[in-house]
Amino acid sequence: MRLFDEHVVLRFALLLACFLFAESIPGILNFSEHVYNFIPYFLAIVFLAYVAIFYKFPLDGNKKIRNDVEIPEPKSVEPIRDLKKDLLEKDEMFQMMIDVSSDGFWTFDVATGKVYWSNRIAKLLAAESSSLEDSFEPLKNRVIESDWNSFREQLNSALQNAGTFSCNLTLLDASKKNAKLVISGRVQRNEVGRPIRVIGSLTELIDRKSAERERYNYVYQDALTGVFNRKYFLEKLKTDVDIAAKRPDYVFAVALLDIDSFGAINASYSINIGDNVLRTIADRLKSIARPDDCVARIGPDVFAVILHHIQSRDPNDDLIPLVRNIHNKVKSPIPLDGKDLYISVSMSIVLNQDVDCVEDILANANASLRDMKKGINHGGIQFFSGGIREKAMKLYKLEFEIRRAIQAQEFVLMYQPIVDIRAGNRIVGFEALVRWNQSERGIISPAEFIPIAEETGLIVPMGALILRMACKQTKQWVDMGFKDIQVAVNFSAKQFSMDSMVDDVRRVLTETNLNPRNLKLEITEYTAMCEADKTIEIMRALSNMGIQISIDDFGTGYSSLSYLKRYPVHTLKMDKYFVDHVADNEEDASFARMVIGIAKSLNLDLIAEGVETKEQLDFLYREGCRLIQGFYFSKPLNTEMALEYMKKHYDVPATTKASEKPEVVSVEA
Ligand code: C2E
Ligand code: MG
Ligand code: MG
């Protein structure tokens, strides 16, 4: 307590005023001496009252509150309890606790027989609706019978004897894969021990491991075959590459297995059969793979296996027997409706030697597969070698270059004369042969780029360009007076399978204003045999337009000759392969005679290709072959030289003999 504060002067002034006032009152009122003697006592009372008043009750609110004592906060007044509201709040709180709990709660009223199920149980037991009947019926209907019987027994025994029980139940629910539940309860009794209620819980048993496994499988498993998927394969491969980077003795191999013509299996049988084939192959791979190997499906019809524990870097030691075994097992016939389905599988192997990243391993394995698929090793096993990769890189580069060249119109046509040796070596037409006039490398042969263009589909735009160029050029020659000249344009199988093929050709003819009889289309025997029905239809449409059709490289396809009768074909071109040795090999001579005979009997024109020597020419002349194409007469010529050639050999007297051969143009212009 402080004795002096800022108001002490004021207080003493007030005290003095009271004192003077009290002193003067008896005089003013003329009191007796007896009253006068009482004044000191009165003043003492006034003083004490002053101290009491100023200490306890300050005059001016907060300003007067003493800051040297702790004044406790006023205590809240205890409210009057509303029991009904209390009960409701507790009920709500209890309900919320039930709802947020992962367990379901239930109660059973012994007197009424009614069962209360919490929302969670309602959801668990009633798949669609969340409201349940207030009896044990919903539980009975949704769990397997033996479990229900055991629950009922335990409940009855708890009601009679023990207070608590717990048992397992199996939920009958396909979508939940028959989830396991645990139901438990405790019996509540009244004062005399009679059971009045059972309170219990129902919990879904989640096997953490199996849930994790399920999630893991979902992310990493191929749903169709059950083996790992591409995602897992790439991650595993990355791990292996990382380990190998630190441990030089860690050798592993990646095998890619590609089912050849899988599309044909789907198309000829059904997608279901195709799926079964994939599953069978996956099962075979799983059964043969060692525990540490990783089997995955990384493409629609491509499987990959990472083979670990390769003891030696020399594949001859342990890897070759291993991959042979896998290949043999995988490609063995698949039983299908009592018959055997034969499949062919190409397998490429890459060792982690010399490759230090996932991308390289995969690129090498893919290049190897691509290489196999094109060559004779199709359906076999091939170990990657650096050359293949280089070749693949070259091919990719070429593909890019071809695209660019189409845009830049770097393709030019050469024209090789076709002459009639029975009409004074008169020129009847040309074969248009494409060349790539590349700025850096000069003229490139079609043998280098046509196969790539075919494989990549670039042959379609390139072919359209070639057709337009050939038609335009032919029209110019026709307009110059070479009215009957016929130019043959090569068409690949891909071009021929285009739905728009006939319309495209018609459009080019219209645009260039060329008469269809001046155009011939050359397709190989192989192209003619592909999708035979469709091809015949296209040929008929072209033939009806007045365009002639030639079968190129005749004799090299292994087809039956009967197709020739069905096809609207005008000309056969005997392949150079048979012409080469007609003069010195009796077998080839017999074959050439046979081809000439076929053409005669079917009333078709025959052109002998690749004629280089006088002996070949004489043989063909003797056997009755009329049309010749080959270096003996001329190599393919550029447009100017082709025009020169035509000028000399278009109008020749029909009496000229074959032996009086015209001047040979010996170099390709
Ligand atoms: P092809 O259609 O059988 O063409 C004949 C090939 O034989 C031409 O080769 C031609 O130059 C060559 N040749 C002709 N006479 C002789 C000869 O006496 N001796 C030798 N050694 N060769 C002769 P080229 O021009 O290199 O064409 C090769 C192949 O490329 C063609 O074979 C054809 O399949 C394809 N091709 C060429 N141009 C085109 C085209 O415009 N489109 C398509 N799709 N393919 C084409
Ligand atoms: Mg040809
Ligand atoms: Mg040919």
Side-chain angles (χ1 to χ4, degrees):
M1 176 180 165
R2 282 195 330 184
L3 283 176
F4 300 99
D5 60 17
E6 67 268 34
H7 301 298
V8 72
V9 179
L10 189 70
R11 285 177 196 177
F12 275 99
L14 198 65
L15 184 64
L16 192 65
C18 289
F19 184 78
L20 290 175
F21 175 67
E23 191 79 339
S24 59
I25 287 172
I28 296 164
L29 297 177
N30 207 11
F31 285 157
S32 65
E33 200 173 322
H34 175 69
V35 174
Y36 199 76
N37 288 339
F38 184 70
I39 286 171
Y41 299 102
F42 177 73
L43 289 176
I45 290 165
V46 170
F47 177 73
L48 286 173
Y50 159 79
V51 171
I53 288 166
F54 275 85
Y55 179 71
K56 189 79 182 171
F57 307 109
L59 287 174
D60 191 13
N62 283 340
K63 279 191 182 167
K64 304 290 180 249
I65 289 176
R66 299 176 62 101
N67 55 7
D68 53 347
V69 281
E70 293 257 306
I71 300 168
E73 285 289 312
K75 280 191 184 145
S76 62
V77 186
E78 185 85 67
I80 302 156
R81 290 182 59 157
D82 181 345
L83 288 177
K84 198 175 164 193
K85 197 171 159 230
D86 254 6
L87 218 58
L88 278 173
E89 271 176 13
K90 285 231 167 71
D91 205 7
E92 195 184 348
M93 191 174 79
F94 181 58
Q95 188 61 48
M96 279 164 73
M97 282 164 67
I98 286 177
D99 286 347
V100 296
S101 162
S102 60
D103 289 345
F105 288 93
W106 57 276
T107 59
F108 168 59
D109 191 317
V110 177
T112 61
K114 288 196 170 174
V115 180
Y116 159 78
W117 302 107
S118 73
N119 285 344
R120 191 163 289 272
I121 298 188
K123 280 196 190 114
L124 202 66
L125 295 184
E128 290 94 31
S129 78
S130 57
S131 64
L132 281 187
E133 227 178 280
D134 55 358
S135 71
F136 278 121
E137 270 316 284
L139 186 69
K140 186 182 167 190
N141 295 337
R142 304 277 286 140
V143 298
I144 61 173
E145 204 183 348
S146 56
D147 285 354
W148 161 252
N149 290 337
S150 129
F151 164 71
R152 208 183 43 187
E153 270 170 37
Q154 291 214 36
L155 175 66
N156 286 334
S157 132
L159 286 169
Q160 278 157 27
N161 316 308
T164 58
F165 68 92
S166 172
C167 61
N168 290 345
L169 303 170
T170 305
L171 192 68
L172 288 172
D173 184 344
S175 68
K176 282 189 169 276
K177 296 198 179 109
N178 297 345
K180 296 271 180 245
L181 308 175
V182 180
I183 190 162
S184 39
R186 174 186 280 267
V187 179
Q188 194 185 359
R189 297 175 191 274
N190 62 10
E191 318 76 59
V192 291
R194 276 177 65 88
I196 50 167
R197 185 178 292 113
V198 184
I199 301 167
S201 69
L202 184 75
T203 316
E204 189 177 353
L205 253 192
I206 296 175
D207 172 359
R208 196 178 293 278
K209 271 192 187 155
S210 78
E212 270 168 17
R213 204 180 306 126
E214 215 161 88
R215 206 173 325 123
Y216 179 83
N217 287 345
Y218 176 74
V219 179
Y220 286 124
Q221 201 178 43
D222 173 46
L224 179 71
T225 60
V227 294
F228 288 113
N229 58 16
R230 187 179 174 86
K231 181 178 165 65
Y232 181 86
F233 169 76
L234 292 176
E235 285 178 18
K236 180 80 187 84
L237 190 56
K238 172 88 180 73
T239 314
D240 285 331
V241 167
D242 289 347
I243 298 174
K246 291 193 188 105
R247 282 180 35 199
D249 62 324
Y250 191 83
V251 185
F252 66 90
V254 174
L256 292 194
L257 295 106
D258 187 314
I259 308 168
D260 301 320
S261 311
F262 182 68
I265 297 177
N266 271 340
S268 355
Y269 296 91
S270 68
I271 291 188
N272 275 350
I273 301 274
D275 285 353
N276 280 341
V277 168
L278 292 172
R279 276 193 215 104
T280 309
I281 289 178
D283 289 346
R284 287 174 177 180
L285 284 172
K286 269 193 289 185
S287 73
I288 203 163
R290 298 156 311 164
D292 280 353
D293 296 339
C294 162
V295 178
R297 181 169 163 240
I298 62 166
D301 58 351
V302 182
F303 288 88
V305 188
I306 307 179
L307 299 159
H308 294 103
H309 307 300
I310 308 295
Q311 296 302 326
S312 151
R313 277 180 179 253
D314 181 357
N316 285 313
D317 289 356
D318 56 346
L319 188 59
I320 287 182
L322 185 66
V323 295
R324 277 229 180 89
N325 197 13
I326 294 176
H327 190 241
N328 284 339
K329 175 127 196 184
V330 165
K331 69 174 184 158
S332 59
I334 297 175
L336 179 75
D337 295 336
K339 287 187 195 153
D340 277 343
L341 175 69
Y342 285 87
I343 54 164
S344 162
V345 178
S346 300
M347 186 174 182
S348 73
I349 324 287
V350 175
L351 271 166
N352 68 324
Q353 279 172 319
D354 313 323
V355 273
D356 54 5
C357 71
V358 170
E359 291 74 22
D360 275 0
I361 292 178
L362 280 182
N364 291 345
N366 274 322
S368 203
L369 261 188
R370 239 172 102 124
D371 190 70
M372 286 172 84
K373 292 220 152 213
K374 280 189 293 184
I376 45 163
N377 206 8
H378 192 256
I381 304 174
Q382 182 164 290
F383 280 83
F384 166 77
S385 78
I388 294 169
R389 182 76 195 279
E390 261 168 41
K391 204 166 135 195
M393 292 303 289
K394 218 173 126 191
L395 292 187
Y396 283 128
K397 206 170 154 239
L398 199 59
E399 182 185 334
F400 173 78
E401 282 292 307
I402 293 172
R403 271 178 214 282
R404 197 194 47 75
I406 295 173
Q407 298 286 323
Q409 306 215 342
E410 286 182 356
F411 295 103
V412 290
L413 286 182
M414 304 294 264
Y415 297 89
Q416 187 175 28
I418 298 164
V419 300
D420 185 344
I421 53 172
R422 303 212 158 254
N425 297 336
R426 177 180 183 268
I427 181 165
V428 294
F430 291 104
E431 177 175 8
L433 294 160
V434 68
R435 301 285 180 270
W436 181 0
N437 190 2
Q438 214 203 29
S439 44
E440 290 159 23
R441 290 175 57 198
I443 301 285
I444 302 174
S445 147
E448 256 191 73
F449 60 86
I450 290 283
I452 314 285
E454 279 178 347
E455 201 181 308
T456 54
L458 288 171
I459 192 70
V460 175
M462 187 196 282
L465 200 75
I466 290 168
L467 179 68
R468 189 174 299 273
M469 285 195 292
C471 289
K472 210 170 148 196
Q473 184 57 64
T474 312
K475 173 68 178 153
Q476 276 183 21
W477 288 330
V478 170
D479 289 347
M480 288 163 90
F482 306 102
K483 298 254 182 276
D484 301 328
I485 208 79
Q486 202 174 38
V487 172
V489 178
N490 290 283
F491 260 61
S492 80
K494 256 217 180 92
Q495 281 174 280
F496 225 74
S497 66
M498 297 285 293
D499 288 336
S500 59
M501 148 92 190
V502 177
D503 288 341
D504 291 347
V505 173
R506 189 181 288 119
R507 194 175 327 111
V508 173
L509 285 174
T510 313
E511 281 169 18
T512 55
N513 207 13
L514 181 72
N515 190 325
R517 72 190 179 92
N518 294 110
L519 180 65
K520 203 173 220 178
L521 296 189
E522 277 190 21
I523 58 168
T524 61
E525 206 174 349
Y526 170 77
T527 305
M529 299 310 295
C530 286
E531 297 186 70
D533 292 339
K534 193 175 171 188
T535 309
I536 292 181
E537 206 181 294
I538 292 175
M539 282 179 163
R540 286 218 178 97
L542 293 169
S543 187
N544 290 341
M545 279 162 62
I547 299 170
Q548 293 201 350
I549 292 163
S550 226
I551 299 291
D552 204 355
D553 306 340
F554 184 73
T556 54
Y558 319 91
S559 50
S560 83
L561 296 175
S562 61
Y563 80 95
L564 283 176
K565 273 197 195 157
R566 293 168 53 217
Y567 283 55
V569 173
H570 304 88
T571 309
L572 299 182
K573 291 188 83 172
M574 181 160 54
D575 195 66
K576 179 178 182 306
Y577 179 83
F578 304 107
V579 172
D580 275 348
H581 298 287
V582 281
D584 51 44
N585 182 305
E586 192 39 45
E587 256 181 53
D588 284 6
S590 307
F591 187 86
R593 279 189 205 101
M594 190 182 79
V595 174
I596 294 167
I598 291 170
K600 265 192 193 144
S601 64
L602 291 173
N603 204 18
L604 300 175
D605 281 343
L606 178 78
I607 300 174
E609 261 190 308
V611 178
E612 291 179 344
T613 66
K614 187 167 183 314
E615 290 73 31
Q616 289 166 350
L617 186 72
D618 288 344
F619 172 87
L620 292 163
Y621 187 88
R622 270 200 313 277
E623 296 303 326
C625 182
R626 195 167 64 86
L627 300 169
I628 303 290
Q629 177 184 345
F631 292 179
Y632 182 78
F633 288 110
S634 170
K635 285 194 167 180
L637 307 169
N638 65 21
T639 43
E640 292 80 33
M641 292 179 85
L643 179 61
E644 288 307 310
Y645 193 96
M646 254 191 310
K647 281 181 183 163
K648 284 187 192 159
H649 305 290
Y650 186 71
D651 290 316
V652 284
T655 50
T656 315
K657 285 195 184 137
S659 52
E660 293 169 27
K661 74 178 185 72
E663 179 192 341
V664 175
V665 184
S666 57
V667 282
E668 187 169 300

